Amino acid sequence: MKYSFSWYKKKDPWIFLLPTLLGLFVFRLGPIIGSFLLSFTDWDIIKKPNFIGLENYIELFNNPSFIEVLSNTLLFAFMYVIGVTVIGLFLAVLLNRNFKGISFFRSAFYTPVVTSAVAVGIIWSWILSPNYGVLNLMLLKLGINPPYWLGDTSIALFTVASVQVWKMAGYYMIVFLAGLQGIPRSLLEAAHIDGASPRRSFFTITLPLLSPTTFFVVSIAIIDSFKNFELIYAMTKGGPQNATNTLVYDVFLNAFVYYRMGYASTVAYILLALVAGFSLLNFTLKKHWVNYQY
């Protein structure tokens, strides 16, 4: 039986692609190109943009505050990537078995992922409050003098990063869980018969075979680590004394608080360069530690 495709015209696929292409150009590529052009201006929203060449970039790297923000961003990213990778893998190994109530535990660990970041930030701010926070009250009961989790400049960034890790670890747990369930059981059973301990099987069989999943997790975590605006806004607003201010929050401050659109666009492009640079580095190093063959 022959089917007639006389109704088909070459323009038909483009009709279906048109909404997606319009969204891509208007909401993605357009702002990227526009912000690049704005980074060479001193636009304050009210007046017309004034071309100033590389002055924003020169000011950026001569500004001690920006160096501190850049340092905060890199430290936050380091803590986040290590945290979600290690805790996500630990939870996945813990829950990669069958026992009664396993679905409940998997859902419970995933619940923070789908919870609003602002709600998470507000609740954790209450928990960590120095006066009536639950955590500090528990520490006082144990005879431990609690710190000012969000008010001490030496630990505020670590505290916010820890909350972000707590919120997102469930997502990476699911990814690792899928990777673990793709490893042939026969290999682990053969190792067990040969007398290998569970610890040795994990480090010599499971972890190497899980390297493609780990690579994916690290790649996503690197990108995700720079998207920390909501939690910082809800918990510290960049304080105390700029201790938790990161690049993405600095873009917000300069654009919508100080109305320095040109400078904010410059910061945004530094952020873009960082994400691209670390992602490229991860892909370059992939051949040294990722194993795609059993």
Side-chain angles (χ1 to χ4, degrees):
M1 181 177 180
K2 293 183 178 179
Y3 293 96
S4 172
F5 291 98
S6 59
W7 51 269
Y8 176 80
K9 296 181 175 58
K10 287 185 177 179
K11 67 179 182 182
D12 290 349
W14 293 102
I15 295 175
F16 291 100
L17 287 172
L18 189 60
T20 302
L21 291 175
L22 277 175
L24 178 67
F25 281 102
V26 173
F27 297 108
R28 298 286 182 181
L29 297 181
I32 290 174
I33 296 170
S35 62
F36 178 70
L37 298 175
L38 281 176
S39 70
F40 299 103
T41 70
D42 63 351
W43 189 38
D44 63 356
I45 299 179
I46 299 173
K47 300 175 184 175
K48 288 183 178 179
N50 180 34
F51 181 76
I52 57 172
L54 295 174
E55 284 187 21
N56 283 330
Y57 290 91
I58 294 171
E59 178 187 346
L60 197 74
F61 289 106
N62 289 326
N63 186 355
S65 175
F66 171 74
I67 303 300
E68 184 183 5
V69 170
L70 181 62
S71 173
N72 290 342
T73 305
L74 294 176
L75 189 57
F76 187 101
F78 177 77
M79 290 188 288
Y80 179 79
V81 173
I82 297 295
V84 294
T85 304
V86 173
I87 295 176
L89 178 60
F90 174 76
L91 292 176
V93 171
L94 199 65
L95 299 179
N96 186 33
R97 59 195 70 189
N98 291 320
F99 59 85
K100 193 173 182 180
I102 185 68
S103 298
F104 167 78
F105 286 108
R106 289 175 181 172
S107 302
F109 283 116
Y110 191 77
T111 299
V113 179
V114 294
T115 306
S116 162
V118 175
V120 168
I122 292 172
I123 291 171
W124 271 102
S125 296
W126 291 344
I127 293 173
L128 300 171
S129 171
N131 298 321
Y132 50 85
V134 175
L135 182 59
N136 280 10
L137 290 176
M138 290 173 63
L139 291 175
L140 284 172
K141 291 282 185 186
L142 295 172
I144 300 172
N145 192 25
Y148 290 92
W149 299 101
L150 300 174
D152 188 335
T153 55
S154 63
I155 61 170
L157 185 67
F158 172 78
T159 304
V160 177
S162 299
V163 175
Q164 183 83 342
V165 168
W166 173 84
K167 182 182 184 306
M168 294 304 299
Y171 169 76
Y172 297 98
M173 174 197 74
I174 294 295
V175 178
F176 273 124
L177 205 52
L180 286 171
Q181 293 181 356
I183 295 175
R185 297 290 304 172
S186 58
L187 294 175
L188 298 173
E189 289 170 359
H192 179 68
I193 292 171
D194 289 341
S197 65
R199 181 179 178 182
R200 185 171 184 184
S201 294
F202 176 77
F203 283 105
T204 58
I205 298 176
T206 304
L207 211 52
L209 294 183
L210 203 60
S211 58
T213 305
T214 308
F215 169 73
F216 174 77
V217 164
V218 171
S219 300
I220 298 299
I222 287 173
I223 298 171
D224 203 25
S225 67
F226 293 96
K227 298 188 299 180
N228 44 39
F229 172 79
E230 297 96 335
L231 213 55
I232 291 175
Y233 182 82
M235 295 184 73
T236 62
K237 291 185 169 51
Q241 299 177 21
N242 228 24
T244 59
N245 192 5
T246 58
L247 285 175
V248 67
Y249 193 75
D250 207 43
V251 171
F252 164 75
L253 286 178
N254 282 289
F256 302 108
V257 177
Y258 308 136
Y259 298 110
R260 299 188 66 196
M261 286 293 180
Y263 188 82
S265 300
T266 308
V267 177
Y269 262 86
I270 298 298
L271 179 61
L272 176 65
L274 275 179
V275 175
F278 279 109
S279 299
L280 186 62
L281 179 65
N282 190 32
F283 273 87
T284 304
L285 296 176
K286 179 180 71 170
K287 60 184 177 185
H288 297 294
W289 64 280
V290 178
N291 182 18
Y292 287 101
Q293 294 181 341
Y294 292 140

